[in-house]
């Protein structure tokens, strides 16, 4: 979640908003330091600090603070034990802040930094009961005597070739997740009129150029309407050595493509790296939404490991016939 963008949008629309942050964790807790919730005056919210009684109580506190008007920040020191009905066993400090339109100028640099593509560090300290934040130009300056926060998000680039039923389902499945999607199809009118915020639709003109210009850590999914086009895109992607190259298809399709890849001179280990069929082994339902969910889980595994798919038998399922 882009917390500063979300916060300023809610302030602009509703006049005020609260920010709940997991400030410190000792032992076991449902969320990590830096987890956020943004709360509207009516109690609606975005994000989570882990659910359960802890989240319920912090939401109540945020609503009370918003009802009282912009004021000092609260830090709640809470044990995650029997009094909450939670058995995590750890202890957390929760920071709750309120904002209104007077804060928009101070929030603007944070929104601008968050709109970039990288993580950024913020120096924080308490001033007159409220948190003052400065982007990391002052890191190392002892006068701050406060703490650091890390904001922003690193999105893994995903190229999806093909805007058919599975492509559409996959783009929707990836929408709330830390991926940046470049969605490509060579057909006019192939894309829906509305796209998720993390997706960009591109009319495919030159498949090899798209592969050549893709970031090295991109994840590639090939599912076009045309098998020769699939072949060309997949071969180019395998030659580049991306951490994940997935091709929708059956065992028969894979075998045919492998034969052609050998004729093109691709090494055997490169050919073996192809993920086809795509998705988690053992899920065989061919409904587009099911395939999309399975592939999304697989991409999250690859992202978590920072590398290629492991322990996957490529012939355990089929995405088409």
């Amino acid at each position: 979640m882009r917390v500063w963008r979300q916060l300023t949008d809610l302030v602009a629309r509703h006049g005020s908003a609260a920010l709940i942050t997991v400030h410190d964790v000792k032992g076991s807790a449902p969320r990590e330091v830096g987890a956020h919730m943004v709360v509207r005056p009516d109690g609606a919210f975005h994000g989570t600090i882990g659910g359960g009684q802890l989240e319920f109580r912090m939401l109540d506190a945020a609503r009370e603070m918003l009802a009282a008007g912009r004021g000092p920040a609260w830090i709640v020191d809470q044990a995650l034990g029997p009094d909450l009905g939670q058995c995590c066993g750890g202890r957390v400090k929760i920071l709750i802040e309120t904002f209104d339109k007077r804060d928009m100028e101070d929030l603007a640099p944070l929104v601008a930094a968050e709109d970039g593509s990288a993580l950024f560090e913020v120096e924080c300290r308490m001033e007159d009961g409220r948190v003052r934040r400065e982007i990391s130009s002052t890191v190392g300056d002892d006068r701050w005597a406060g703490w650091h926060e890390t904001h922003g998000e690193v999105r893994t680039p995903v190229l999806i070739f093909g805007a058919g039923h599975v492509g559409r389902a996959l783009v929707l499945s990836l929408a709330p997740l830390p991926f940046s999607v470049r969605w490509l199809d060579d057909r006019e009118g192939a894309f829906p009129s509305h796209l998720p915020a993390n997706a960009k639709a591109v009319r495919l003109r030159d498949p090899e150029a798209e592969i050549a210009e893709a970031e090295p850590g991109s994840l590639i999914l090939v599912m076009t309407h045309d098998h020769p086009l699939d072949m060309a895109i997949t071969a180019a992607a395998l030659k580049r050595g991306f951490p994940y190259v997935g091709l929708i298809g059956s065992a028969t399709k894979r075998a045919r493509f492998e034969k052609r890849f050998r004729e093109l001179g691709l090494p055997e280990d490169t050919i073996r790296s192809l993920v086809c069929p795509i998705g988690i082994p053992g899920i065989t339902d061919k409904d587009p939404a099911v395939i999309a969910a399975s592939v999304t889980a697989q991409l999250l595994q690859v992202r978590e490991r920072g590398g290629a798919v492991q322990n996957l038998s490529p012939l355990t399922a089929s995405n088409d016939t």
Side-chain angles (χ1 to χ4, degrees):
M1 179 175 68
R2 295 189 175 186
V3 59
W4 302 113
R5 171 66 66 186
Q6 188 71 253
L7 183 67
T8 54
D9 286 350
L10 292 186
V11 170
R13 281 184 280 156
H14 301 279
S16 64
L19 176 63
I20 303 174
T21 304
V22 179
H23 182 65
D24 187 42
V25 172
K26 287 183 170 55
S28 178
R31 286 298 305 271
E32 69 284 356
V33 171
H36 297 289
M37 298 178 69
V38 181
V39 186
R40 292 183 351 194
D42 64 2
F45 61 90
H46 303 267
T48 178
I49 58 170
Q53 282 295 314
L54 173 68
E55 184 167 296
F56 183 78
R57 292 190 186 184
M58 296 307 104
L59 280 170
D60 268 353
R63 285 192 290 264
E64 289 178 15
M65 293 170 66
L66 286 168
R70 179 181 181 273
W74 290 8
I75 292 184
V76 181
D77 190 346
Q78 180 68 60
L80 301 173
D83 61 326
L84 279 183
Q86 293 186 225
C87 56
C88 298
R91 192 173 196 92
V92 296
K93 289 183 179 179
I94 305 295
L95 172 65
I96 310 177
E97 305 168 76
T98 53
F99 300 83
D100 64 18
K101 292 185 178 179
R102 288 170 285 181
D103 298 300
M104 295 294 266
E105 184 177 347
D106 290 336
L107 293 173
L110 299 172
V111 174
E114 192 176 53
D115 284 344
S117 59
L119 299 176
F120 63 99
E121 192 171 351
V122 174
E123 290 279 359
C124 310
R125 69 175 179 181
M126 298 297 292
E127 282 190 359
D128 300 322
R130 293 182 60 82
V131 179
R132 179 181 170 189
R133 291 178 172 87
E134 294 283 349
I135 296 174
S136 60
S137 59
T138 57
V139 168
D141 189 338
D142 292 339
R143 70 186 176 85
W144 278 94
W147 67 94
H148 297 171
E149 293 177 346
T150 301
H151 292 280
E153 54 187 0
V154 176
R155 291 181 172 265
T156 301
V158 177
L159 277 68
I160 300 175
F161 292 88
H165 295 303
V166 176
R168 289 183 176 225
L170 183 57
V171 168
L172 291 176
S173 182
L174 295 174
L177 299 173
F179 296 99
S180 176
V181 178
R182 186 172 176 85
W183 193 14
L184 303 119
D185 198 290
D186 62 351
R187 298 168 295 175
E188 185 177 356
F191 300 108
S193 57
H194 298 287
L195 296 176
N198 70 333
K200 180 180 181 181
V202 178
R203 184 77 178 272
L204 181 61
R205 306 290 187 185
D206 186 343
E208 291 190 0
E210 287 288 345
I211 292 296
E213 294 168 8
E215 295 181 37
S218 297
L219 311 181
I220 311 297
L221 283 142
V222 185
M223 49 185 69
T224 79
H225 60 96
D226 182 81
H227 277 208
L229 182 58
D230 282 354
M231 176 75 73
I233 296 168
T234 305
L238 289 172
K239 288 176 183 178
R240 278 259 348 237
F242 294 104
Y244 178 99
V245 179
L247 170 69
I248 196 167
S250 63
T252 300
K253 182 175 180 180
R254 181 186 179 103
R256 289 175 179 169
F257 276 45
E258 285 185 344
K259 181 176 183 294
R260 179 57 180 151
F261 294 153
R262 292 186 183 98
E263 292 171 355
L264 293 172
L266 270 65
E268 285 298 321
D269 59 345
T270 298
I271 295 173
R272 282 195 300 271
S273 72
L274 174 66
V275 180
C276 178
I278 52 176
I280 294 174
I283 299 176
T284 59
D285 193 320
K286 295 182 182 181
D287 184 276
V290 175
I291 295 174
S294 177
V295 172
T296 297
Q298 191 174 59
L299 296 183
L300 286 168
Q301 289 178 334
V302 175
R303 185 180 190 273
E304 187 78 14
R305 286 193 294 262
V309 175
Q310 297 172 353
N311 300 321
L312 174 61
S313 172
L315 304 181
T316 55
S318 174
N319 307 130
D320 65 14
T321 56

